């Protein structure tokens, strides 16, 4: 399954849904089905990544980004 | 006269909500450019056309489904305070996300007003908001504002007054039929137990999606009987969805409505964020690390250099004041012992603490607030998070460590920004490992006297060595964090989200005023409260004799064996104990004990201090161990008081005292043993 952590810097995609301990928080931040998201930049190493979602920039740890499922083969 | 009508202010973090609050009420509340500043609801009053309103500010919240202490407080204020109106403050540039909260509020009360703030900033980024169209799409009054400039606030208040007098008809989100029917059924069951205290449909939806926090708050106010429980279950079955799927459906529906409203009212340029993005990529990548270090070093340089002159001036002023006080007491024919106790004891220590603490803080905190205001600090947390994740801690700990550089008490208070209680405690307990303004001069003096020497080359070498010590402090902090999360504070790193708000030009004038007010004076007040009694104690220790020796001599003799084991001596350990009120006075205390001078010595003359210490048998090893112990020993009294307040636990306060002390003692003993072997 493709997740938000599979999106590399400069790429985008559409959210399919959020599942896990952070799911409600992520949805409240706008990671709901169909939302366009873009990975903007990344911290050094395997650190956090910043995503543009609904006009805001939200940073997530990569292991948390796995809680957001993405649509396959679709670029926003 | 009836009671003043209340208006609750709600909004996402970083939308300028506190600025709106301040502009309305004239209160000076500190606003930060990163989440978690307003922890409790602030209250103020404002008036319009002769009527006075009470305004309640709430902490920033993304949603009424609370995920943090701040959001819980916001949820409680909006849901349960029975306010006469709610103003939702939104960032014009980020309206779609902000409308999530607005739609939730509109489910609670019709008397809602939307304030689209930061219009000027959005316009600069090419985002145009049609306030009229937005009002039409939402069915409530919408007021545009630039709260920083004080624009649009009167109109906002008028709108709030209008909705209180005649509630509008908000266009609420319509959920799928099955959900609406189930919610209506449950709402009917809830109507009676809720006693008009809360919108039953809203309560029904939250209970159906199993919002734990809301349920807890509701249970405080009404008994959730088995019949209600059964009704909740029935409603869930009716929708054919489990709570998680239902929650997803609700949020999706809200965002679909938000998309439609924004499509009607917001025009965004294509691209347009490129400049910010380019800077962000630079500032947060590998290249960002040296930039960050340089910036921190610059802040310290300005602080330490800038503080010299006002500190000297304050010390001189306090000296004169002391002489005045003494002659006053003499004129009143005070007994000489009491006069000395009050002047050389209480007043001199108090003056000393203020003279050494006030100027660095009055410089450091405004500088730090400028960084905060500009939006740079969340980017620091972002860049360094990986390091903290590996230590099972939170990236925001980087920020509390930076604050700790200024003052550990402020750093400890800053730990409120960390949501996970476990990670917050880790940050709080390890904060004093980071040398504060009060310890830098001690470290610097030791480096200059025993390692680097004077002159420009010496100064540069000292600066380099100081950086090394700071790196050691950071390393030990990380190590201790990792150890804590493997032992007493077991757990995996919690998940968290970090918003990176757009970088903004900081507000110079207000910033300086506010950070002076709420950080510097707060810390100084706490420090001064301890300094005067400590001064009395120090005076007694150095003046009361037993068996021909002062009490202090007895203490230093008692501590001497332990001190020797750590490559120090009894006097140095006594100096650290006497320096408990403020780390700044540790070195003067040591000099005082050596010379048995009976009162606080000036240590401004480094060369004289050096020869005094060398005469007492100090070597480079002594200086090294002193620096290590200065980095790792019990926090000062102000910090411990703050830890006690923040944790509310004597056990953790004791632990915060013991942990760094143990580490420092062990480190000193190791270096001492090594030196002996070599």
């Amino acid at each position: 399954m493709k997740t938000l952590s599979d999106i590399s810097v400069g790429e985008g995609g559409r959210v399919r849904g959020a599942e896990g301990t952070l799911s409600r928080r992520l949805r409240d931040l706008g990671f709901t089905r169909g939302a366009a998201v873009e990975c903007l930049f990344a911290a050094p190493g395997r650190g956090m990544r910043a995503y543009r979602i609904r006009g805001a920039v939200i940073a997530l740890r990569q292991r948390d980004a796995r809680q957001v499922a993405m649509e396959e083969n679709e670029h926003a | 006269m009836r009671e003043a009508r209340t208006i609750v202010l709600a909004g996402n973090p970083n939308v300028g909500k506190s600025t709106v609050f301040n502009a309305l009420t004239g209160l000076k509340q500190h606003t930060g450019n990163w989440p978690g500043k307003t922890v409790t609801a602030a209250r103020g009053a404002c008036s319009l056309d002769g009527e006075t309103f009470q305004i309640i500010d709430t902490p920033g919240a993304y949603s009424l489904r609370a995920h943090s202490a701040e959001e819980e407080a916001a949820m409680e204020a909006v849901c349960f305070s029975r306010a006469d109106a709610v103003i939702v403050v939104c960032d014009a540039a980020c309206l779609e996300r902000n409308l999530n909260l607005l739609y939730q509020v509109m489910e609670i009360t019709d008397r809602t007003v939307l304030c689209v703030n930061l219009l000027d900033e959005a316009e600069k980024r090419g985002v145009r908001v049609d306030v009229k169209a937005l009002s039409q799409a939402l069915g409530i009054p919408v007021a545009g504002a630039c709260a920083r400039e004080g624009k649009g606030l009167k109109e906002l208040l008028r709108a709030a007054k209008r909705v209180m007098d005649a509630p509008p008809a908000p266009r609420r989100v319509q959920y799928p039929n099955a959900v609406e029917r189930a919610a209506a059924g449950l709402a009917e069951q809830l109507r009676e137990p809720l006693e008009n205290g809360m919108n039953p449909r809203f309560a029904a939806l939250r209970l159906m999606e199993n919002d734990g926090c809301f349920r807890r708050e509701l249970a405080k106010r009404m008994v959730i009987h088995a019949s209600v429980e059964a009704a909740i279950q029935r409603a869930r079955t009716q929708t054919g969805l489990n709570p998680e799927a239902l929650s997803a459906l609700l949020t999706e529906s809200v965002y679909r409505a938000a998309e439609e409203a924004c499509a009607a009212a917001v025009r965004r340029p294509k691209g347009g964020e490129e400049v910010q993005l380019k800077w962000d990529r630079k500032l947060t990548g590998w290249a960002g690390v040296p930039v960050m270090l340089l910036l921190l070093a610059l802040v310290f340089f300005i602080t330490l250099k800038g503080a010299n002159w006002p500190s000297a001036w304050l010390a001189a002023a306090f000296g004169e004041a002391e002489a005045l006080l003494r002659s006053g007491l003499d004129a009143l024919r005070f007994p000489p012992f009491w006069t000395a106790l009050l002047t050389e004891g209480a007043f001199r220590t108090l003056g000393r603490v203020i003279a050494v603490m006030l100027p660095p803080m009055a410089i450091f905190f405004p500088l730090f607030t400028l960084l905060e205001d500009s939006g740079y600090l969340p980017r620091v947390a972002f860049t360094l998070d990986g390091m903290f994740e590996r230590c099972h801690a939170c990236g925001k700990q980087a920020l509390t460590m930076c604050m700790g550089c200024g003052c550990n008490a402020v750093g400890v208070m800053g730990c409120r920004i960390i949501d996970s209680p476990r990670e917050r405690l880790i940050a709080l307990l390890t904060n004093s490992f980071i040398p504060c303004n009060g310890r830098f001069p001690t470290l610097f003096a030791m480096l200059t006297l025993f390692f680097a020497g004077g002159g420009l080359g010496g100064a540069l070498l000292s600066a380099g060595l100081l950086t090394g010590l700071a790196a050691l402090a950071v390393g030990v902090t990380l190590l201790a964090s990792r150890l804590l999360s493997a032992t007493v504070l077991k757990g995996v790193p919690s998940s968290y989200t970090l918003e990176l708000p757009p970088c903004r030009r900081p507000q110079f004038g207000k910033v300086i005023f506010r950070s002076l007010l709420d950080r510097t004076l707060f810390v100084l007040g706490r420090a001064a409260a301890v300094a005067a009694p400590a001064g009395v104690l120090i005076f007694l220790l150095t003046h009361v004799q037993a068996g021909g020796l002062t009490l202090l001599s007895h203490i230093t003799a008692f501590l001497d064996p332990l001190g020797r084991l750590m490559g120090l001596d009894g006097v140095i350990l006594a100096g650290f104990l006497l320096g408990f009120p403020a780390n700044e006075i540790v070195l003067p205390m040591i000099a005082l004990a050596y010379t048995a001078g009976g009162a606080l010595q000036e240590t401004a003359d480094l060369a004289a201090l050096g020869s005094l210490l060398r005469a007492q048998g100090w070597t480079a090893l002594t200086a090294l161990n002193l620096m290590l112990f200065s980095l790792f020993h019990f926090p000062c009294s102000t910090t411990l008081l703050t830890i006690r307040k923040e944790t509310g636990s004597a056990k953790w306060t004791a632990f915060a005292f013991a942990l760094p002390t143990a580490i420092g003692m062990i480190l000193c003993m190791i270096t001492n043993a090594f030196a002996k072997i070599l």
Side-chain angles (χ1 to χ4, degrees):
Chain A
M1 190 182 72
K2 190 173 170 185
T3 71
L4 189 57
S5 73
D6 298 321
I7 308 276
S8 33
V9 174
E11 281 184 35
R14 269 184 200 285
V15 174
R16 186 149 64 169
E19 213 166 303
T21 50
L22 260 187
S23 61
R24 288 186 185 210
R25 153 70 359 136
L26 289 167
R27 283 197 293 266
D28 268 328
L29 287 172
F31 291 94
T32 57
R33 198 175 51 182
V37 57
E38 185 190 354
C39 181
L40 297 176
F41 49 92
R46 287 193 45 76
M48 284 188 129
R49 288 194 186 160
Y51 301 94
R52 172 147 36 231
I53 176 83
R54 300 192 187 269
V57 180
I58 300 288
L60 296 174
R61 284 177 171 170
Q62 290 189 45
R63 46 192 284 277
D64 294 336
R66 278 185 219 123
Q67 295 191 20
V68 180
M70 300 295 292
E71 298 288 356
E72 313 274 344
N73 313 319
E74 199 177 332
H75 294 274
Chain B
M1 209 183 97
R2 64 181 173 164
E3 229 175 289
R5 293 196 280 187
T6 55
I7 303 172
V8 167
L9 280 183
N12 284 187
N14 293 310
V15 295
K17 193 166 52 63
S18 295
T19 318
V20 171
F21 177 74
N22 288 338
L24 285 175
T25 62
L27 280 183
K28 295 277 173 274
Q29 194 189 24
H30 186 86
T31 57
N33 205 355
W34 41 290
K37 292 310 283 300
T38 322
V39 180
T40 48
R43 280 158 193 273
C46 73
S47 56
L48 178 80
D49 304 335
E51 186 181 352
T52 303
F53 301 98
Q54 190 183 35
I55 313 275
I56 301 175
D57 191 16
T58 59
Y62 292 113
S63 163
L64 294 177
R65 294 180 190 92
H67 301 271
S68 65
E70 292 97 59
E71 286 190 333
E72 231 175 288
M75 185 271 280
E76 208 199 322
V78 175
C79 296
F80 296 103
S81 73
R82 302 187 187 200
D84 294 290
V86 180
I87 295 177
V88 178
V89 185
C90 285
D91 177 354
C94 185
L95 210 52
E96 200 174 291
R97 210 272 309 286
N98 283 236
L99 287 186
N100 179 31
L101 180 70
L102 177 82
Y103 276 116
Q104 293 181 23
V105 171
M106 289 197 323
E107 287 183 351
I108 296 175
T109 171
D110 291 344
R111 297 184 302 265
T112 307
V113 176
L114 173 63
C115 166
V116 182
N117 192 25
L118 302 167
L119 270 177
D120 47 346
E121 200 180 279
E123 217 142 282
K124 261 184 229 153
R125 290 160 67 186
V127 180
R128 292 187 157 272
V129 180
D130 181 344
V131 171
K132 260 200 199 119
L134 195 57
S135 172
Q136 228 155 40
L138 297 169
I140 56 164
V142 176
C146 312
R148 279 180 166 206
E149 270 81 47
K151 280 184 207 153
L153 294 168
K154 197 145 218 177
E155 195 38 55
L156 177 65
L157 260 187
R158 284 233 166 80
K161 192 170 185 306
R162 242 184 4 254
V163 300
M164 284 189 272
D165 295 336
R171 293 185 55 186
R172 296 208 174 95
V173 177
Q174 288 300 311
Y175 301 113
N177 285 337
V179 176
E180 287 290 351
R181 265 199 305 276
L186 179 57
E188 210 42 60
Q189 300 274 314
L190 289 171
R191 199 171 298 276
E192 206 174 312
L194 282 172
E195 296 169 1
N196 299 326
M198 142 90 46
N199 183 314
R201 177 175 173 266
F202 176 80
L205 287 168
R206 293 288 88 80
L207 289 172
M208 281 161 66
E209 66 166 344
N210 199 16
D211 181 342
C213 190
F214 176 79
R215 207 193 143 106
R216 267 198 308 284
E217 283 300 321
L218 191 66
K220 283 183 198 163
R221 292 163 176 86
M222 68 172 253
V223 186
I224 300 178
H225 286 296
S227 62
V228 173
E229 198 61 62
I232 297 171
Q233 285 305 338
R234 254 198 323 279
R236 277 186 199 146
T237 320
Q238 237 179 312
T239 63
L241 296 167
N242 62 31
E244 186 65 18
L246 177 64
S247 179
L249 181 68
L250 296 182
T251 319
E252 260 174 57
S253 309
V254 169
Y255 268 110
R256 214 161 305 129
E259 282 167 14
E260 277 166 28
C262 286
V266 182
R267 277 223 315 261
R268 274 179 183 282
K270 285 227 177 327
E273 310 278 319
E274 304 311 323
V275 180
Q276 170 87 48
L277 196 57
K278 206 175 88 190
W279 276 103
D280 265 335
R281 287 195 172 135
K282 275 189 192 143
L283 281 174
T284 57
W286 281 111
V289 179
V291 171
M292 201 162 59
L293 290 177
L294 273 177
L295 215 61
L296 261 183
L298 184 71
V299 168
F300 276 113
F301 181 76
I302 297 175
T303 304
L304 292 177
K305 278 286 159 208
N308 279 342
W309 180 79
S311 273
W313 183 85
L314 273 175
F318 275 110
E320 277 169 40
E322 189 189 317
L324 269 177
L325 181 65
R326 175 181 289 274
S327 53
L329 291 175
D330 283 343
L332 288 169
R333 296 175 188 276
F334 250 59
F337 177 80
W338 286 99
T339 305
L341 184 73
L342 284 176
T343 54
E344 285 168 37
F347 188 81
R348 196 178 289 180
T349 308
L350 177 69
R352 173 92 197 196
V353 168
I354 292 176
V356 290
M357 278 179 93
L358 180 59
M361 282 200 196
I363 299 172
F364 180 86
F365 285 121
L367 287 178
F368 192 78
T369 314
L370 283 181
L371 287 182
E372 213 174 302
D373 236 33
S374 67
Y376 181 64
L377 291 186
R379 285 161 173 81
V380 171
F382 173 82
T383 311
L384 297 179
D385 179 76
M387 238 162 50
F388 290 92
E389 188 184 0
R390 274 192 280 277
C391 298
H392 293 203
C394 178
K396 291 185 202 165
Q397 191 176 337
L399 304 185
T400 65
M401 285 162 72
C402 288
M403 283 189 248
C405 283
C407 170
N408 293 126
V410 174
V412 164
M413 243 191 332
C415 293
R416 286 178 184 173
I417 59 172
I418 298 169
D419 290 334
S420 143
R422 190 187 68 85
E423 289 164 6
R424 196 176 85 109
L425 210 47
I426 289 178
L428 202 143
L429 293 172
T430 55
N431 194 270
S432 70
F433 290 142
I434 299 301
C436 61
N437 271 332
R439 285 182 275 172
F440 268 100
T442 307
L443 300 175
F444 206 74
M446 288 300 110
L447 288 171
T448 313
L449 285 175
F450 291 91
F451 295 95
L456 183 66
L460 283 177
L461 186 57
S462 299
L465 291 172
L466 200 59
T467 314
L469 282 177
L472 176 72
V474 171
V476 171
T477 304
L478 289 171
L479 206 67
S481 301
R482 184 68 188 88
L483 282 177
L484 282 176
S485 58
T487 54
V488 282
L489 290 166
K490 253 198 184 86
V492 288
S494 68
S495 303
Y496 82 107
T497 57
L498 178 72
E499 180 162 12
L500 304 177
C503 288
R504 292 178 185 143
R505 184 179 52 80
Q507 297 168 280
F508 280 87
K510 286 178 194 164
V511 162
I512 287 163
F513 178 73
R514 279 195 219 113
S515 58
L516 261 181
L517 211 71
D518 52 51
R519 281 182 180 153
T520 315
L521 292 185
F522 164 81
V523 175
L524 204 67
R526 272 196 191 175
V530 193
V536 170
L537 179 70
I538 292 162
F539 183 82
L540 292 176
L541 286 177
T542 47
H543 283 78
V544 177
Q545 300 210 335
L549 283 170
T550 61
L551 291 179
L552 183 61
S553 310
H554 286 292
I555 292 174
T556 57
F558 173 75
L559 290 172
D560 206 52
L562 179 63
R564 298 282 165 199
L565 203 61
M566 294 163 57
L568 303 168
D569 62 24
V571 170
I572 299 174
L573 288 188
F576 274 104
L577 282 179
L578 295 177
F580 185 54
N583 276 297
E584 286 89 343
I585 62 173
V586 169
L587 261 191
M589 283 296 154
I590 293 171
L592 157 91
Y594 279 136
T595 54
L600 236 58
Q601 302 291 305
E602 282 306 320
T603 43
D605 185 0
L606 260 187
L609 179 69
S611 49
L612 168 70
L613 297 178
R614 282 207 174 80
Q616 296 291 334
W618 283 38
T619 60
L621 180 65
T622 323
L624 175 68
N625 283 330
L626 187 138
M627 288 192 294
L628 285 176
F629 200 60
S630 174
L631 285 180
F632 311 118
H633 73 287
F634 44 85
C636 72
S637 55
T638 314
T639 306
L640 270 183
L641 260 178
T642 312
I643 291 175
R644 178 73 233 261
K645 262 213 147 142
E646 294 294 308
T647 60
S649 143
K651 196 188 82 189
W652 285 120
T653 313
F655 190 76
F657 184 93
L659 177 74
T661 315
I663 290 180
M665 285 169 74
I666 292 168
L667 275 179
C668 285
M669 286 180 198
I670 290 173
T671 54
N672 193 38
F674 258 105
K676 291 276 146 63
I677 294 166
L678 293 175

